Amino acid sequence: MGAREVGLPDVVGSGSLPPRVTIWEVGARDGLQNESVVVPVAVKLEFLDRLAAAGLSVLEATSFVHPKWVPQLADAAELLAGLEQRPGVLYPVLVPNERGLDRALEAGVTHIAIFASATETFASRNLNRTLDSQFEMFEPTVSRALAEGLDVRGYVSMCFGDPWEGAVARSQVVAVGERLLEMGCSQLSLGDTIGVATPGQVESLLEGFRDVSRLAVHFHDTYGQALSNTLAALRCGVTTVDSSAGGLGGCPYAESATGNLATEDLVWMLDGLGVETGVDLDKLVETSVWMAEQLGRPSPSRVVRALAK
């Protein structure tokens, strides 16, 4: 049953919201990297093509992290070699360091993302660096990427809470984020890696940054707060939201991290608010139902479950 058949709610705006939101789809990377089995390249390629056909214009395709750490994405070069890129669609990839950048350049990538930590413990566990020394790894990667004409996005993990350290000081998150922006990142994605944030925290953190227009948000739905946190961010001026088709994903380095905000749930809310995304919800639901079949389990997305009945 499609969205049109059940009848989308009347479009009613609410508060000060942007007229259009860019959805940064992370299902093929952040979603599939957390799977217990390796998804075949052919399935990944079809997944990406289906997502593009549904109207998503930014598809984070894969990661050049060392296969030892993320074996599910060890096929990154093969995937990019077989990818038929659709006009008007961006296919960024995640790179951890200069070696990852080398591989991305060899594959002809034009948009990359780097990932940082807002906390000492996660920097140690995820990057094998201290909170401060992580930038020694980023600086040559970013400078080289910019010199090669690439666009660079920065991710910051554990922005609202850390499973080892607890609450994270706003000043600490802002310091890490502003340093990445000053380094040359065009956009900064603030991640609620373990899904503990609430709307007031979101508003407070965003107020700490000098330029909200360069920020994106990345919420996990561990406590069911991802949509409410997203709405709070949009009211603060954010216009880019990360999400994952079907709610796929988590974080392999943080056991308490559950799935990402489901793209379908996000689109349903934005459609009802009259905020444009360019996404065909019915096609997106069909894609996530198909992917759930490939993975052998139902999608956790509420909208997918409602419309797939």
Side-chain angles (χ1 to χ4, degrees):
M1 182 179 294
R4 294 185 186 87
E5 295 173 68
V6 298
L8 280 166
D10 290 338
V11 175
V12 179
S14 173
S16 178
L17 296 174
R20 185 177 181 87
V21 162
T22 298
I23 296 176
W24 189 289
E25 172 60 47
V26 299
R29 195 277 301 171
D30 195 17
L32 297 185
Q33 77 173 14
N34 207 45
E35 290 300 308
S36 58
V37 297
V38 175
V39 176
V41 172
V43 173
K44 293 178 180 177
L45 289 171
E46 184 170 351
F47 186 37
L48 285 164
D49 195 59
R50 283 171 175 258
L51 291 170
L56 289 155
S57 59
V58 185
L59 303 175
E60 197 163 87
T62 187
S63 168
F64 280 116
V65 173
H66 195 287
K68 175 184 177 181
W69 303 114
V70 186
Q72 296 88 337
L73 301 181
D75 54 12
E78 181 184 356
L79 180 138
L80 291 172
L83 180 64
E84 293 187 16
Q85 299 191 21
R86 292 189 177 230
V89 179
L90 301 179
Y91 297 87
V93 303
L94 196 68
V95 302
N97 49 35
E98 285 197 270
R99 176 56 189 140
L101 177 60
D102 289 339
R103 296 175 64 198
L105 290 170
E106 290 170 7
V109 168
T110 58
H111 290 69
I112 66 166
I114 60 172
F115 55 98
S117 173
T119 67
E120 195 75 57
T121 306
F122 195 63
S124 174
R125 288 173 172 262
N126 193 27
L127 302 171
N128 197 30
R129 299 279 180 143
T130 65
L131 185 63
D132 190 58
S133 69
Q134 64 180 327
F135 295 100
E136 297 172 3
M137 180 171 63
F138 304 143
E139 285 168 350
T141 303
V142 173
S143 62
R144 275 190 58 208
L146 294 176
E148 293 283 350
L150 274 61
D151 181 85
V152 183
R153 182 192 221 212
Y155 280 101
V156 183
S157 298
M158 301 296 175
C159 290
F160 298 93
D162 178 295
W164 301 281
E165 298 183 18
V168 181
R170 183 179 82 164
S171 59
Q172 189 166 303
V173 179
V174 172
V176 170
E178 292 286 1
R179 193 163 173 181
L180 290 174
L181 291 171
E182 291 167 2
M183 197 180 292
C185 290
S186 63
Q187 186 179 74
L188 188 72
S189 177
L190 303 173
D192 181 18
T193 314
I194 57 174
V196 295
T198 53
Q201 283 181 290
V202 173
E203 293 169 1
S204 175
L205 178 58
L206 293 175
E207 288 170 359
F209 284 88
R210 291 184 296 236
D211 187 359
V212 177
S213 69
R214 297 178 66 186
L215 303 180
V217 288
H218 184 118
F219 294 117
H220 287 235
D221 209 29
T222 313
Y223 295 91
Q225 303 297 300
L227 272 179
S228 58
N229 289 335
T230 298
L231 187 57
L234 297 180
R235 286 179 172 152
C236 290
V238 169
T239 60
T240 299
V241 178
D242 298 1
S243 63
S244 175
L248 294 172
C251 176
Y253 301 103
E255 294 181 3
S256 55
T258 56
N260 292 286
L261 167 62
T263 307
E264 294 83 0
D265 298 5
L266 174 62
V267 172
W268 180 277
M269 180 183 77
L270 295 177
D271 280 354
L273 288 166
V275 177
E276 294 182 16
T277 62
V279 176
D280 184 317
L281 182 56
D282 289 337
K283 287 185 179 180
L284 182 58
V285 169
E286 290 172 7
T287 296
S288 288
V289 169
W290 170 82
M291 194 62 189
E293 292 170 352
Q294 309 307 307
L295 298 175
R297 64 172 188 276
S299 166
S301 164
R302 298 295 183 88
V303 169
V304 170
R305 292 187 179 191
L307 297 184
K309 292 179 181 179

